[in-house]
């Protein structure tokens, strides 16, 4: 087998697929995608070229039809039960030569790679490091096993880097989540429809993202902005509670949109909102900025890394008192000024450059 880059992860995870596509565009080596989940729980496979898909034991048919509390529990149980089988399949299907490398996206897939004894780069997700390691001693051990044997650990924020060092004594490299900057500029330029004063919620419809609180604030606001809900995913149990509120308020629910439809919602709206309880480096916030939105956010450490031109498009709130009307008013004022990205911002957040940056860090080690 030729020297190959393997991506080990979920074929329904848009973050993982972004990295996979960046690797395809920037590698002279074959790039294969290895997975145990293709579609199910309301998600579709995001790997366009099925010829590059290498299947482990596919667990989709063993999972719930919903993405909620019971669904999460069942998925975790199934994944743990089949770990021995998946490890054997990883060993068999990823034939690592001297220079072949596996990029394991999320802690679970890094866990499989670690126990399979292959050469791998691990990329945990934000909540896995920022929340779960602190919440559970068992998960802390699981995460340590997953990442300790990686030749390189990449994270998308300084907050994750600090947590990994403090809690697991593991070093990591910060590689920023990228966005399709050239494409966003084209969409923004060719959209002639004027922006509306609508407020658009751009994160998951789940407890962490406080969508119910956003709906309440819009309903109580003196500005009464029309709220649109777009999301990459939703938790079924939480979404049911949101729907109850929606029936009373006239909120527009787009739900899960493909990327193009999401971008068109952004370019037609003046203001976006993202106030999760915990956060790492939110790609959707950067996409909203490049689509010309002002974004209302809670303070988070990733803001410290933003170039000045992007920081100017942010309104930071503490979500206390009459925070919503104050933040919305500031956002309306900021929206009067167009967004002019600097070359520095383009270079920092262009997803075409994300994978090459990982390779640069990798080649200093091996």
């Amino acid at each position: 087998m030729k020297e190959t880059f393997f991506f080990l992860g979920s074929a329904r995870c848009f973050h993982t697929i972004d990295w996979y596509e960046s690797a395809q565009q920037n590698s002279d080596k074959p790039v294969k995608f290895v997975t145990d989940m293709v579609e199910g729980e309301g998600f579709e496979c995001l790997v366009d070229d099925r010829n590059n898909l290498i299947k482990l034991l596919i667990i989709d048919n063993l999972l719930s039809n919903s993405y909620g509390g019971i669904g999460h529990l069942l998925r975790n149980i199934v994944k743990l039960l089949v770990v021995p089988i998946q490890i054997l399949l990883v060993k068999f299907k990823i034939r690592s030569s001297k220079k072949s490398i596996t990029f394991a996206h999320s802690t679970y897939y890094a866990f499989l790679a670690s126990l399979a004894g292959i050469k791998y780069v691990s990329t945990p997700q934000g909540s896995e490091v920022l929340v779960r390691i602190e919440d559970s001693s068992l998960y802390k051990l699981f995460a340590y096993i997953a990442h300790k044997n990686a030749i390189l650990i990449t994270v998308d924020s300084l907050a994750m880097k600090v947590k990994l060092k403090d809690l697991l004594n593991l070093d990591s490299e910060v590689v920023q989540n990228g966005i399709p900057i050239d494409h966003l500029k084209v969409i923004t330029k060719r959209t002639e429809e004027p922006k509306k004063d609508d407020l658009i919620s751009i994160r998951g419809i789940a407890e962490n993202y406080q969508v119910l609180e956003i709906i309440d604030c819009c309903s109580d606001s003196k500005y009464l902005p029309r709220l649109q809900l777009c999301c990459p995913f939703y938790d079924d149990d939480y979404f049911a509670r949101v729907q109850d509120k929606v029936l009373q308020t006239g909120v527009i629910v787009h739900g899960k949109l493909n990327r193009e439809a999401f971008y068109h919602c952004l370019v037609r709206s003046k203001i976006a909102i993202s106030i999760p309880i915990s956060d790492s480096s939110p790609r959707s916030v950067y996409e909203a900025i490049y689509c010309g939105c002002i974004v209302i956010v809670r303070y988070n450490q990733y803001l410290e890394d933003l170039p000045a031109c992007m920081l100017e498009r942010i309104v930071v709130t503490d979500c206390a008192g009459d925070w919503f009307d104050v933040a919305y008013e500031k956002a309306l004022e900021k929206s009067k000024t167009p967004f002019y990205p600097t070359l520095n911002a383009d270079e920092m957040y262009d997803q075409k450059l994300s994978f090459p940056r990982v390779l640069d860090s990798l080649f200093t080690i091996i």
Side-chain angles (χ1 to χ4, degrees):
M1 179 177 284
K2 294 181 180 179
E3 296 170 357
T4 304
F5 288 146
F6 296 96
F7 273 72
L8 178 58
S10 168
R12 354 180 281 199
C13 175
F14 58 92
H15 282 305
T16 306
I17 299 303
D18 286 338
W19 281 100
Y20 168 64
E21 291 177 349
S22 178
Q24 287 182 309
Q25 295 166 6
N26 293 281
S27 173
D28 57 357
K29 295 180 174 61
V31 183
K32 302 290 184 179
F33 198 96
V34 186
T35 189
D36 62 341
M37 292 195 297
V38 178
E39 52 195 0
E41 297 181 304
F43 292 89
E44 298 179 354
C45 179
L46 300 176
V47 177
D48 290 332
D49 185 359
R50 298 295 181 97
N51 293 327
N52 283 329
L53 202 61
I54 299 175
K55 294 181 180 180
L56 304 176
L57 174 63
I58 301 300
I59 63 171
D60 292 334
N61 291 334
L62 303 175
L63 305 180
S64 167
N65 292 325
S66 65
Y67 191 79
I70 295 176
H72 292 317
L73 179 61
L74 177 60
R75 187 186 325 107
N76 290 336
I77 291 172
V78 170
K79 281 189 166 188
L80 287 175
L81 288 176
V82 300
V83 159
I85 298 172
Q86 304 293 33
I87 290 172
L88 291 175
L89 289 173
V90 168
K91 286 182 176 181
F92 177 72
K93 297 197 173 189
I94 300 180
R95 299 179 177 92
S96 292
S97 67
K98 183 176 181 181
K99 293 184 180 179
S100 292
I101 298 171
T102 296
F103 298 85
H105 278 253
S106 92
T107 295
Y108 174 75
Y109 295 105
F111 182 77
L112 295 182
S114 179
L115 294 187
I118 61 175
K119 183 164 56 176
Y120 71 104
V121 174
S122 68
T123 303
Q125 295 180 347
S127 62
E128 293 174 342
V129 174
L130 299 176
V131 178
R132 296 181 203 171
I133 290 178
E134 285 191 308
D135 285 353
S136 168
S137 297
L138 183 60
Y139 190 86
K140 183 177 181 179
L141 175 62
F142 173 75
Y144 180 73
I145 294 171
H147 303 303
K148 70 182 179 73
N149 292 321
I151 54 177
L152 174 69
I153 303 171
T154 68
V155 293
D156 62 23
S157 68
L158 182 59
M160 288 181 70
K161 178 181 177 71
V162 171
K163 285 274 187 176
L164 275 177
K165 186 63 176 178
D166 290 347
L167 299 178
L168 299 182
N169 196 30
L170 295 175
D171 294 318
S172 58
E173 292 291 328
V174 177
V175 182
Q176 189 59 251
N177 279 332
I179 59 175
I181 285 176
D182 291 341
H183 185 52
L184 293 178
K185 287 181 177 180
V186 169
I187 291 174
T188 303
K189 186 175 181 179
R190 74 182 181 207
T191 301
E192 297 179 354
E193 183 180 342
K195 281 182 172 289
K196 300 177 182 177
D197 290 350
D198 292 7
L199 179 72
I200 181 168
S201 175
I202 56 177
R203 308 300 293 276
I205 299 180
E207 197 83 44
N208 182 55
Y209 301 103
Q210 302 197 100
V211 177
L212 288 171
E213 287 77 3
I214 293 172
I215 294 173
D216 286 340
C217 286
C218 284
S219 299
D220 296 337
S221 171
K222 65 183 181 182
Y223 294 102
L224 291 175
R226 187 174 70 161
L227 176 63
Q228 301 182 53
L229 303 182
C230 301
C231 66
F233 70 91
Y234 57 79
D235 178 286
D236 286 342
D237 300 330
Y238 190 82
F239 188 60
R241 293 162 59 194
V242 167
Q243 285 182 307
D244 289 340
K245 289 266 190 183
V246 165
L247 293 173
Q248 307 165 26
T249 59
V251 172
I252 298 172
V253 181
H254 297 293
K256 289 187 286 188
L257 295 177
N258 64 38
R259 190 155 287 172
E260 289 305 302
F262 174 59
Y263 292 156
H264 283 292
C265 281
L266 288 176
V267 297
R268 292 194 295 267
S269 300
K270 287 184 180 179
I271 304 170
I273 187 166
S274 170
I275 54 167
I277 298 167
S278 68
D279 214 357
S280 181
S281 179
R283 172 193 171 105
S284 57
V285 169
Y286 312 144
E287 289 171 325
I289 291 173
Y290 267 83
C291 285
C293 294
I294 302 299
V295 190
I296 298 171
V297 304
R298 291 169 67 109
Y299 173 78
N300 196 284
Q301 194 169 5
Y302 74 84
L303 297 171
E304 305 292 339
D305 299 324
L306 288 181
C309 68
M310 294 177 70
L311 195 58
E312 289 172 357
R313 312 299 290 179
I314 294 286
V315 174
V316 181
T317 179
D318 59 4
C319 294
D322 60 347
W323 68 271
F324 181 83
D325 279 355
V326 172
Y328 187 77
E329 186 173 347
K330 289 180 180 177
L332 282 176
E333 185 61 31
K334 281 179 174 285
S335 69
K336 296 175 182 177
T337 304
F339 174 55
Y340 297 109
T342 61
L343 179 61
N344 178 45
D346 286 353
E347 290 177 347
M348 283 181 66
Y349 291 91
D350 192 338
Q351 69 179 21
K352 296 195 304 291
L353 305 177
S354 297
F355 188 72
R357 287 190 178 112
V358 174
L359 293 183
D360 288 343
S361 295
L362 195 57
F363 292 150
T364 63
I365 299 171
I366 60 176

